């Protein structure tokens, strides 16, 4: 492929073949009481609302979790975050968007909770039936992967879209997909038995970050970089994630997984792949995936002496963390790739919580 075909064209790079759909859209955030929902999912929905992608005549948003709170309590939590000191969201937009939000409390494995959820969704679908009728249901799992299996089953059994209406049911799952190969394969087969592949969306939100998206463009559309990107010109690559805050009540999820599964195995490894992979045949997702897989297959076994683990002081003071936890909150690991381009070059991946400075960098 000629390099001119790689030049950045927002239309061809980002566009998809989706035809605009209309009718009732229900977005259900499971784990709505949690950190991801508050800090990422609801703010993302708010920005979509502000850009006109979530018209109130068609859309409603339901939060679901075990915590017993009212609609207003959930709305206040979200508003508190959206109107916090780091935000410049206009308060009228926030209060208008929050009118779309309701909350249902229930457990992740009880028929009762999911029947109630289904009833609530159906009620909104009926109330919006003056619009073109359809039932589009998007379930977003802002939950630890340990609760995915019962949730898949409950959605499948009680909450699928109504087949007499046009539309669909889709499920969005967050990283990490399991704790190890066995649990990842098990999760994959469990969801695969209940939903078809086009219904399943797996997310790593680092792939949506500007820096990460620009990496592909810089590497393959920039003729200056193309001949330099190899072990003759690069001495080492450092991919670093630092957070200046700790688990802050997320110990329930974090302690079971640790920093390697929470950050390195997914976010940093994705960046690693984009830096190290060969040029894909095209920018189609499957072509990029194929090149990432080849790089991962060329990584040499990690040496013990090239790994450092640590836990920040005070981690165990978090009430959601077990008193004797040995879970790492910091890790550095050196990856080495056995191929012509990268022979001998260390890729240093480092991630830590509760460090002095918060920042995310990729230095080459
Ligand atoms: N936080 C973030 O910025 C990001 C998180 N993620 C991923 O999202 C998922 C959730 O993360 P996050 O929101 O931070 O985690 P939280 O610990 O905040 O968990 C989310 C919610 O899940 C429920 N929950 C927590 N632990 C358990 C448990 N052991 N069993 C059953 N329910 C539980 C709680 O709701 P309740 O008790 O009310 O039911 C909680 O509010 C993880 O897979 C994480 O990797 C991905 C990207 C970013
Ligand atoms: O996936 C996760 O990411 C966040 C950090 O995301 P960022 O976009 O704010 O950099 C991290 O705090 C969390 O532990 C992890 O699960």
């Amino acid at each position: 492929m000629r390099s001119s075909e790689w030049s950045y064209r927002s239309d061809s790079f980002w566009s998809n073949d989706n035809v605009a759909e209309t009718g009732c859209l229900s977005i259900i955030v499971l784990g709505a009481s949690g950190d991801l929902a508050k800090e990422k999912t609801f703010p993302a929905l708010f920005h979509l609302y502000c850009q006109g992608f979530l018209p109130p005549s068609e859309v409603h948003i339901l939060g679901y979790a075990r915590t017993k709170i009212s609609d207003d309590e959930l709305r206040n939590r979200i508003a508190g975050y959206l109107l916090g000191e780091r935000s410049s969201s206009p308060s009228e937009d926030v209060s208008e968007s929050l009118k779309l939000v309701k909350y249902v409390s229930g457990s992740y494995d009880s028929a009762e909770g999911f029947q109630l959820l289904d009833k609530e969704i159906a009620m909104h679908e009926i109330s919006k039936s003056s619009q073109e009728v359809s039932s589009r249901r998007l379930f977003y799992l802002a939950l630890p992967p340990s609760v995915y299996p019962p949730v898949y089953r409950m959605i499948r059994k009680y909450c699928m879209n109504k087949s007499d209406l046009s539309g669909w049911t889709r499920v969005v799952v967050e990283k990490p997909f399991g704790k190890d190969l066995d649990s990842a394969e098990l999760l994959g087969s469990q969801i695969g038995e209940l939903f078809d592949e086009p219904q399943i969306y797996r997310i790593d939100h680092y792939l949506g970050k500007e820096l990460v998206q620009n990496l592909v463009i810089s590497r393959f559309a920039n003729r200056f970089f193309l001949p330099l990107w190899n072990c003759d010109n690069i001495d080492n690559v450092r991919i670093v994630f630092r957070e200046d805050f700790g688990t802050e009540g997320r110990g329930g999820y974090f302690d079971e997984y640790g920093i390697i599964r929470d950050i390195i195995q997914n976010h940093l490894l994705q960046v690693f792949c984009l830096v190290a992979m060969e040029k894909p045949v095209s920018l189609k997702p499957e072509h990029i995936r194929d090149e990432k897989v080849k790089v991962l297959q060329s990584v040499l076994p990690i040496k013990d002496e090239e790994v450092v683990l640590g836990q920040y002081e005070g981690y165990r003071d978090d009430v959601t963390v077990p008193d004797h936890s040995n879970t790492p909150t910091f890790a550095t690991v050196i990856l080495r790739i056995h191929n012509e381009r990268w022979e001998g070059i260390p890729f240093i991946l480092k991630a830590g919580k509760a460090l002095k400075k918060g920042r995310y960098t990729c230095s080459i």
Side-chain angles (χ1 to χ4, degrees):
M1 177 173 279
R2 285 175 294 116
S3 57
S4 60
E5 288 173 56
W6 282 91
S7 58
Y8 179 72
R9 289 188 51 220
S10 55
D11 53 347
S12 61
F13 191 73
W14 295 115
S15 71
N16 56 39
D17 300 330
N18 292 345
V19 178
E21 294 170 333
T22 52
C24 187
L25 170 63
S26 312
I27 300 173
I28 303 103
V29 180
L30 297 132
S33 57
D35 187 75
L36 170 66
K38 181 183 73 184
E39 295 199 7
K40 303 257 188 279
T41 320
F42 285 116
L45 292 173
F46 171 69
H47 291 298
L48 289 173
Y49 168 85
C50 292
Q51 291 165 52
F53 290 113
L54 303 181
S57 56
E58 298 182 1
V59 178
H60 62 266
I61 299 170
L62 280 159
Y64 183 93
R66 298 170 305 183
T67 304
K68 297 211 178 330
I69 48 173
S70 63
D71 293 345
D72 280 338
E73 279 168 309
L74 178 66
R75 290 176 188 145
N76 290 339
R77 280 184 192 207
I78 305 169
Y81 189 79
L82 290 174
L83 298 170
E85 49 193 60
R86 279 187 290 164
S87 158
S88 54
S89 314
S91 59
E92 16 351 323
D93 286 355
V94 172
S95 49
E96 278 307 303
S97 72
L98 289 176
K99 287 184 188 158
L100 303 181
V101 178
K102 290 201 76 177
Y103 181 75
V104 175
S105 167
S107 75
Y108 300 113
D109 56 2
S110 79
E112 204 189 352
F114 281 83
Q115 281 167 333
L116 192 63
L117 184 60
D118 181 63
K119 211 165 130 192
E120 198 66 46
I121 302 169
M123 239 167 63
H124 283 274
E125 287 173 346
I126 292 163
S127 76
K128 293 193 193 314
S129 65
S130 57
Q131 304 296 315
E132 182 194 328
V133 183
S134 83
S135 166
R136 292 176 289 153
R137 298 183 173 194
L138 179 70
F139 292 87
Y140 185 102
L141 275 58
L143 287 166
S146 51
V147 284
Y148 289 175
V151 170
Y152 300 152
R153 287 196 295 275
M154 290 296 133
I155 296 172
R156 180 77 227 177
K157 195 158 177 193
Y158 299 108
C159 295
M160 298 297 281
N161 74 314
K162 303 302 164 226
S163 54
D164 51 337
L165 302 175
S166 61
W168 41 251
T169 301
R170 292 178 186 158
V171 182
V172 184
V173 289
E174 274 286 352
K175 47 61 60 177
F177 308 113
K179 289 186 80 167
D180 51 24
L181 181 61
D182 289 346
S183 56
E185 285 180 345
L186 184 63
L187 273 180
S189 65
Q190 284 165 330
I191 196 168
E193 278 164 22
L194 300 170
F195 300 95
D196 297 330
E197 190 56 34
Q199 293 179 287
I200 307 166
Y201 292 74
R202 299 174 185 83
I203 284 201
D204 183 320
H205 77 281
Y206 265 61
L207 291 171
K209 290 200 186 273
E210 216 172 315
L211 172 106
V212 178
Q213 293 190 350
N214 287 343
L215 200 55
V216 180
I217 306 301
S218 319
R219 273 207 62 191
F220 300 118
N222 187 328
R223 300 190 71 159
F224 175 72
F225 284 135
L226 275 175
L228 299 178
W229 210 264
N230 56 47
C231 55
D232 295 332
N233 303 290
I234 292 176
D235 181 68
N236 65 73
V237 177
R238 275 163 288 143
I239 304 171
V240 178
F241 167 98
R242 292 165 183 271
E243 251 175 11
D244 55 2
F245 53 89
T247 42
E248 297 181 351
R250 289 178 65 217
Y253 151 72
F254 186 87
D255 196 69
E256 228 187 293
Y257 291 85
I259 198 77
I260 296 178
R261 294 187 183 94
D262 189 47
I263 301 290
I264 294 188
Q265 180 274 334
N266 29 73
H267 302 326
L268 301 200
L269 220 46
Q270 287 287 355
V271 178
F272 163 79
C273 288
L274 293 175
V275 173
M277 72 186 187
E278 296 300 315
K279 189 170 171 173
V281 175
S282 81
L283 291 183
K284 282 191 181 153
E286 55 273 26
H287 291 149
I288 295 181
R289 176 206 58 202
D290 291 348
E291 291 306 329
K292 287 178 176 172
V293 170
K294 283 189 215 157
V295 178
L296 293 172
Q297 285 169 336
S298 310
V299 173
L300 294 169
I302 297 165
K303 295 182 191 151
D304 283 355
E305 61 272 25
E306 295 196 328
V307 178
V308 177
L309 299 177
Q311 189 185 78
Y312 68 83
E313 220 179 308
Y315 171 67
R316 296 179 204 170
D317 297 342
D318 183 332
V319 288
T320 57
V321 170
D323 290 344
H324 302 289
S325 167
N326 210 17
T327 299
T329 64
F330 173 91
T332 297
V333 50
I334 299 183
L335 301 186
R336 295 178 186 274
I337 304 171
H338 178 48
N339 69 17
E340 216 175 316
R341 186 187 288 275
W342 296 116
E343 208 60 62
I345 302 306
F347 283 75
I348 304 157
L349 274 52
K350 188 183 286 194
K353 286 188 171 281
L355 297 174
K356 261 196 192 140
K357 259 193 192 160
R359 69 178 179 187
Y360 178 72
T361 53
C362 176
S363 318
I364 293 155

